[in-house]
Amino acid sequence: MTGTWIEVDLDAVVRNYEEVVKLLRPGARCMAVVKADAYGLGAIEVARALERAGCEAFAVTRLEEGLILREHGIEGIILVLGPTSQEEWLRAINAQLQLTLSELSSIEKLNVVCSEIEQEAFQQVQVHLKLETGMGRTGFQLPEAEELSTALLKAPHIHVAGVYTHFARAAQRDRQYSLGQYERFQTFTARLEELRIYPTWKHVCNSATFLDYPEWHHDFVRIGTLLIGHYPGPGFSSKLTLSDPWVAKSQIVHLRKVPKGTHVGYQSIYRTKAATQLAVIPVGYADGFGITPHFIPQGWFDFLKIVVKNFLALFGFFLGQEQVELKGRRVHVAGKIGMQLTVIEVGMQDCALGDEVQIPLRRTVANPRIPRRYRQGGQMLSDRVMKEGVLPAYTEYSLQ
């Protein structure tokens, strides 16, 4: 096969899940977060592998992501974390998805939709209450507790299966802020119980708080980052051992020798310093190659790094220039990364058309239509190309 593809080791995902399970407090379970197509790995295949390994619950952001899992045989709990609309509720109920409620106006409307369902087997829709404790995104706020409880008690077709919140600064280990959020969560849930709302489950932990605050594990921990082989931030690697399931590869489709002084690529910004070989690989920024998430500088040091990098680039010093790996050796991209074709300078090392090149492709910005090739039990499974309806990751990005 000539082209670009991503190899995903499902055994590595399962090993990461098992590492998480080892650290769970008694009574707690892992809810695998497989949003954004399992961070680019492929939600269907990842969820299947985890379900076979014993995972009983999954979380997604959007309704379509949950429906796709159901359509492909995932039987466990599927929680939709993001807001949903009235037009989506019937499909969610028919697929036995659990919904997040985060605003008061939804409660009465959802109860009405449920009351019109004529299926004899249907009793109640399972919902989780999202509590806003400091993320500043979605969720009920403490002053709404009484109005919230009143609305829920008047909605017999809604069962409160869970209550949860989300931490804003856990990966940065801002202990004071996280403790404040957790205290607000505890205050809110205690108030709900005083008002006769008794959720079956509580869950607050993402990957970072799962590792740093085991006393907060409650009934579920929501784990995504750790399952895909990433630590949530510096200093977490001592907590458990992760396996990286992701390798992005391309192949050389064109190769030629060129003399010293050859200009390469758009605007001729790259010029060879000696006689060398140039190889073309069929991957570019349309595939996510060379694209990185846009981060806001965290302080003056981060800001200065960005300024220095761009200043040096202005004068031709391509600090941080993309590299790829060919036969165990790092080689540079020659010039600018193209939309779908990129040139690399391979020197005079022995190489040929069809040779594999390993490329640094971020999971969350990788084009969802790049074929994923799955490995499990030591065997390569059939290729999987993104189907219509499977949602890619959404992130701000910038071309380096």
Side-chain angles (χ1 to χ4, degrees):
M1 184 186 82
T2 300
T4 299
W5 68 98
I6 294 162
E7 294 180 5
V8 179
D9 184 353
L10 294 174
D11 291 329
V13 175
V14 171
R15 285 195 298 272
N16 294 336
Y17 169 75
E18 291 170 345
E19 285 286 298
V20 168
V21 170
K22 288 178 187 177
L23 298 179
L24 284 172
R25 284 294 179 94
R29 291 180 285 174
C30 176
M31 180 181 289
V33 180
V34 291
K35 64 183 180 181
D37 204 36
Y39 298 78
L41 272 67
I44 296 166
E45 292 79 5
V46 167
R48 282 174 174 168
L50 290 174
E51 195 164 58
R52 286 193 294 268
C55 186
E56 302 173 84
F58 302 88
V60 295
T61 300
R62 300 181 174 180
L63 175 75
E64 290 84 357
E65 296 173 313
L67 293 175
I68 287 166
L69 293 182
R70 277 285 186 257
E71 290 166 3
H72 287 83
I74 301 303
E75 297 177 353
I77 296 166
I78 300 177
L79 171 61
V80 181
L81 298 168
T84 50
S85 67
Q86 189 168 345
E87 294 72 28
E88 297 174 314
W89 290 339
L90 191 56
R91 286 191 293 157
I93 292 167
N94 288 336
Q96 297 183 342
L97 303 183
Q98 299 190 6
L99 299 175
T100 290
L101 291 183
S102 57
E103 58 180 44
L104 290 166
S105 63
S106 298
I107 297 172
E108 182 179 357
K109 294 175 184 177
L110 178 58
N111 190 62
V112 170
V113 169
C114 293
S115 69
E116 296 172 350
I117 295 175
E118 297 179 356
Q119 300 173 21
E120 291 184 9
F122 175 74
Q123 297 292 326
Q124 293 176 307
V125 62
Q126 307 292 309
V127 304
H128 294 235
L129 306 178
K130 173 71 178 298
L131 307 185
E132 164 52 30
T133 61
M135 185 71 177
R137 202 157 60 181
T138 61
F140 298 105
Q141 300 189 49
L142 183 56
E144 297 177 298
E146 291 191 23
E147 195 175 354
L148 171 60
S149 62
T150 299
L152 289 169
L153 291 171
K154 291 180 180 179
H157 297 289
I158 296 176
H159 175 254
V160 181
V163 61
Y164 72 98
T165 195
H166 193 43
F167 291 97
R169 304 184 193 176
Q172 290 72 39
R173 290 183 148 169
D174 188 333
R175 183 173 178 82
Q176 183 177 358
Y177 196 86
S178 295
L179 286 172
Q181 282 197 255
Y182 186 67
E183 288 171 5
R184 287 188 284 276
F185 174 80
Q186 292 288 71
T187 300
F188 204 150
T189 54
R191 181 60 181 146
L192 288 175
E193 290 175 2
E194 290 174 359
L195 296 167
R196 295 184 294 135
I197 302 299
Y198 306 103
T200 306
W201 304 310
K202 295 178 182 178
H203 49 100
V204 300
C205 284
N206 55 15
S207 290
T209 45
F210 160 72
L211 292 174
D212 276 350
Y213 304 94
E215 65 275 19
W216 298 355
H217 285 183
H218 290 291
D219 299 291
F220 284 103
V221 296
R222 302 187 308 272
I223 306 298
T225 301
L226 294 173
L227 295 180
I228 67 166
H230 279 183
Y231 296 100
F236 287 94
S237 59
S238 62
K239 304 273 187 174
L240 75 176
T241 301
L242 298 179
S243 303
D244 190 350
W246 170 280
V247 179
K249 293 183 177 181
S250 193
Q251 287 181 310
I252 294 176
V253 294
H254 182 78
L255 181 68
R256 67 188 177 103
K257 294 179 179 179
V258 298
K260 176 182 178 180
T262 299
H263 287 97
V264 182
Y266 291 113
Q267 300 166 6
S268 300
I269 62 172
Y270 189 91
R271 188 177 183 184
T272 58
K273 296 181 174 62
T276 186
Q277 293 183 101
L278 298 177
V280 177
I281 53 177
V283 62
Y285 60 81
D287 304 298
F289 182 44
I291 290 176
T292 59
H294 175 69
F295 296 113
I296 297 173
Q298 300 296 306
W300 281 105
F301 182 69
D302 271 2
F303 175 75
L304 288 173
K305 283 198 299 184
I306 294 171
V307 170
V308 170
K309 177 181 176 180
N310 284 283
F311 179 79
L312 291 175
L314 181 65
F315 291 95
F317 297 94
F318 297 101
L319 191 66
Q321 182 185 37
E322 289 290 356
Q323 295 179 324
V324 299
E325 185 175 310
L326 173 64
K327 296 184 176 181
R329 177 171 167 259
R330 291 283 181 180
V331 297
H332 284 279
V333 168
K336 288 189 172 184
I337 293 172
M339 180 178 282
Q340 294 175 298
L341 295 173
T342 297
V343 181
I344 57 176
E345 184 176 350
V346 299
M348 288 303 183
Q349 68 170 307
D350 182 31
C351 60
L353 294 178
D355 280 354
E356 292 185 2
V357 177
Q358 188 169 318
I359 55 178
L361 190 60
R362 287 176 177 264
R363 292 156 173 74
T364 53
V365 296
N367 190 324
R369 298 195 179 279
I370 296 175
R372 271 65 167 167
R373 303 174 67 182
Y374 292 91
R375 181 187 299 109
Q376 193 164 31
Q379 296 183 336
M380 291 300 297
L381 309 179
S382 59
D383 291 2
R384 177 263 198 174
V385 179
M386 182 70 69
K387 296 181 175 63
E388 292 295 332
V390 182
L391 298 176
Y394 285 85
T395 183
E396 292 185 81
Y397 57 85
S398 58
L399 182 62
Q400 298 301 298

